[in-house]
Each structure stands twice: as C-alpha cells, then as structure tokens.
Amino acid sequence: MSINNKGQLEIGVTTMVLIVFILLLLFSLILYFRFTYLELEETKSILLDQKYNSLLSVIIGLPEFRCSRGGVESECFDEVKLQAFERTRENNKEYYRNLFGTVKNIWIDLPGNDLIIYGSTTSSGAVYSVPVSLYNPVTREYRIGILKIKGDL
C-alpha cells in the first residue's frame, strides 16, 4: 500500500467518524426538542386548566348572576337575572370582553334547553364545567344545571 492510499484511507475514516458524530448529534437534538415540545404542551394544558377553572369561580361569584332573597346572596344563580343579562352585556361589552378574555362561549346546560350567557354556540375548543344551582324567583323553584365554558385548546 502506498503512502497516497494510506492518506486517502485515513481521510475516509475521518470523514465517516465525522458523519456518524453529526448524525448522533442531530438525533439527540431531535429527541431533546421533541421532549421539550411535549413538556411545553403539558404546561400549556395545565395553565389553561387553571385559568378557566379560576374563571368559573369568578363567574359563579358575579353579582349579575347571583340569587338573593331579602338582600342576602346565596350560592345559586338567578334565572331571571341570567335571562336579562344579554341587555347588560350589550351595554357593557368592553367590560365583559376584558373579564371573560379569550373565552369563546359561556352557557348553562339545563335539561331541555341551554341558557347562553356569552359568545357563540358554533365555536370549538375545550369545555370546562361545574355544577350550579339555579333559582327561579317567579316560580320559587330550584333546578340543577352545569355552567360550561368553552375556551382555547
């Protein structure tokens, strides 16, 4: 074997080692970024859950919806106030847009019908819900419903 062939062989081996090293580096970078992306998606999901669950608590506490008897508020929604809320919302669009943020839809799911509080019914997204008690002061009856929020995924 001549000196020229030995040099070419060593250049070939060095090139192969560099190619293998670069492939290993690329493979490890792909794995790293994939796991980082999955972790970010999980964090996003946790933050959205916290955001919408806290918004559910805020909505439950709004005086616009709370029922009261004799000036004392109780842990329920007033159906008459909910039905009249559309006018209140139209008069204060900016306030409720800031309060509800990126929420696409808020409604109370009742057997037989839904009370739409905010947004459109055709939107898509994740649904967060909590059971609520509804009081109708006209009929003096209580019903059970599910307060639902549809937000970002």
Side-chain angles (χ1 to χ4, degrees):
M1 198 179 252
S2 70
I3 296 178
N4 195 15
N5 286 340
K6 267 185 153 179
Q8 287 178 344
L9 184 63
E10 286 197 23
I11 288 175
V13 169
T14 304
T15 305
M16 292 298 275
V17 168
L18 280 174
I19 289 173
V20 168
F21 176 75
I22 289 172
L23 287 176
L24 285 174
L25 182 65
L26 287 175
F27 180 72
S28 62
L29 284 174
I30 289 170
L31 282 177
Y32 171 76
F33 286 118
R34 182 174 179 202
F35 285 120
T36 302
Y37 177 76
L38 292 175
E39 187 176 320
L40 286 174
E41 286 294 318
E42 185 177 322
T43 303
K44 176 186 173 187
S45 175
I46 290 169
L47 289 174
L48 284 176
D49 284 347
Q50 290 174 351
K51 173 184 174 182
Y52 290 122
N53 285 327
S54 66
L55 185 58
L56 281 169
S57 298
V58 167
I59 292 170
I60 289 172
L62 286 175
E64 292 94 324
F65 306 139
R66 301 285 300 260
C67 59
S68 61
R69 282 185 277 173
V72 178
E73 289 187 350
S74 58
E75 292 291 324
C76 61
F77 281 3
D78 188 326
E79 281 190 60
V80 175
K81 286 182 180 180
L82 287 170
Q83 291 168 354
F85 179 69
E86 187 174 345
R87 287 184 304 242
T88 305
R89 186 185 69 223
E90 290 301 317
N91 293 335
N92 302 294
K93 284 182 181 180
E94 192 64 32
Y95 171 75
Y96 289 108
R97 191 176 301 125
N98 288 334
L99 179 65
F100 298 144
T102 60
V103 170
K104 297 177 181 177
N105 192 8
I106 301 172
W107 75 99
I108 297 179
D109 193 7
L110 295 168
N113 66 338
D114 291 343
L115 286 172
I116 297 173
I117 297 172
Y118 180 81
S120 65
T121 57
T122 59
S123 61
S124 63
V127 176
Y128 301 87
S129 61
V130 65
V132 293
S133 175
L134 282 100
Y135 176 70
N136 189 326
V138 176
T139 62
R140 295 185 179 200
E141 292 179 347
Y142 283 93
R143 298 193 308 173
I144 298 292
I146 301 173
L147 175 64
K148 294 185 176 184
I149 293 178
K150 191 177 287 185
D152 296 329
L153 292 174

